[in-house]
Amino acid sequence: MMNEQALSEAIEDLLVARNPRNMRLARAALSPGYYLRAARALQVGNRCVLIGTGFPVAGTFETDGPVGAIALYQGLQALGADPVLACAAPLADVLAADYRVLPLSCNDVADSTLEAGRWLAQWQPAAVVSIERPGLTADGRYYNMRGEDISAGAGVFDPYLSLASCPTIAIGDGGNEIGMGKIAAAIAALDIRVSVTPCDELLVADVSNWGAYGLLAFLGLWAGRDLLGEFSPLATLQYLSARGSVDGVTRANTLTEDGMPATEGDAVIRQLRELSGIAAT
């Protein structure tokens, strides 16, 4: 069994192996061991963890982000933590029936900053996580992978990280997500409007959902529980599809993530379980 640092670096390599959006470039700009460090920050006992997700696409929400957020929510809950999902409508309305949700109803950064300050002071989360959330760019707007301005209706989550006194973790796969401000200079050449919002630990993956699986590999290993084996990407995609999700690349209501079939996510989970050895315990 490899040591934890070596395992983290193996996970980091695995999760950018396909490299459709040049996340190997982003990976090279990060200090190795970032999945290990982020997972350690999520060993929070019974405390609150805020998980922001949801990227607006074609009047609804994309599959990449919510699948990973639900996986992390369920995994943390199984370990005794108190997770909360933060997202804008319509995703917030979709998830509220089955999960604890903080609606991101404000599209104004100043007003959202006030709301974030109040929420953080009240709930005192042990960690704040962002999974595939649009991040503010230098002009104070939000943009998708096509360079289209999506500020109207995106909801603002950035202040929940910038004001937090706890560890902040962000997962992205393109460069325009919250957290990419940590390496903005290193990825400036990418064909995307790079976000300037930083975080403590930035995690990159070919599909942001898969970043959550990397965290669960460690959390399950430490808990002696096969958290990844308990989660089904396909079932979660079916749940979201029935509620109006679309693929962020194709904009079609399909059981895919960024143009990739659900079998790709299953393969990643299988490889992570093998790497961590948790499937054999």
Side-chain angles (χ1 to χ4, degrees):
M1 178 68 183
M2 65 183 80
N3 64 42
E4 290 182 346
Q5 178 68 23
L7 175 59
S8 188
E9 292 184 35
I11 289 172
E12 290 151 26
D13 286 339
L14 168 66
L15 294 182
V16 295
R18 294 160 179 80
N19 202 37
R21 295 198 190 97
N22 294 306
M23 284 300 98
R24 287 182 191 167
L25 177 67
R27 190 248 189 282
L30 295 168
S31 175
Y34 47 87
Y35 273 92
L36 172 60
R37 295 190 298 270
R40 281 177 176 158
L42 292 176
Q43 291 184 293
V44 299
N46 62 359
R47 296 180 63 194
C48 173
V49 176
L50 182 62
I51 306 168
T53 195
F55 210 108
V57 176
T60 184
F61 56 92
E62 71 164 299
T63 53
D64 189 25
V67 174
I70 289 171
L72 186 59
Y73 183 109
Q74 293 177 351
L76 288 169
Q77 193 172 58
L79 297 178
D82 187 18
V84 179
L85 294 173
C87 40
L91 181 60
D93 302 324
V94 162
L95 298 179
D98 300 296
Y99 301 93
R100 191 166 161 203
V101 171
L102 168 65
L104 301 176
S105 57
C106 186
N107 291 312
D108 179 83
V109 175
D111 289 344
S112 180
T113 299
L114 293 174
E115 288 185 359
R118 288 193 291 264
W119 192 93
L120 291 166
Q122 179 180 354
W123 291 97
Q124 295 291 309
V128 178
V129 184
S130 177
I131 305 179
E132 189 71 9
R133 275 289 310 172
L136 287 167
T137 55
D139 65 0
R141 309 291 291 176
Y142 294 109
Y143 297 91
N144 63 19
M145 61 184 288
R146 295 172 171 83
E148 299 164 344
D149 190 324
I150 57 169
S151 303
V156 178
F157 188 60
D158 309 63
Y160 288 86
L161 280 79
S162 59
L163 296 178
S165 58
C166 60
T168 59
I169 300 161
I171 303 173
D173 62 15
N176 58 342
E177 305 92 355
I178 283 176
M180 290 292 179
K182 185 177 179 72
I183 56 169
I187 60 174
L190 294 181
D191 184 21
I192 203 155
R193 300 290 291 266
V194 176
S195 170
V196 298
T197 303
C199 62
D200 294 327
E201 289 292 347
L202 174 62
L203 316 182
V204 294
D206 290 332
V207 175
S208 292
N209 287 333
W210 302 351
Y213 307 157
L215 292 171
L216 290 174
F218 274 113
L219 293 174
L221 175 64
W222 295 329
R225 180 166 176 172
D226 189 4
L227 295 174
L228 287 172
E230 296 172 13
F231 180 72
S232 170
L234 178 58
T236 309
L237 283 167
Q238 290 169 332
Y239 168 87
L240 294 169
S241 176
R243 292 158 177 79
S245 65
V246 296
D247 185 292
V249 172
T250 67
R251 300 189 172 186
N253 179 247
T254 54
L255 304 180
T256 56
E257 310 162 288
D258 287 348
M260 299 186 193
T263 51
E264 288 292 307
D266 286 332
V268 167
I269 284 179
R270 182 173 62 255
Q271 290 172 293
L272 288 170
R273 293 172 73 215
E274 290 171 354
L275 279 173
S276 65
I278 192 62
T281 62

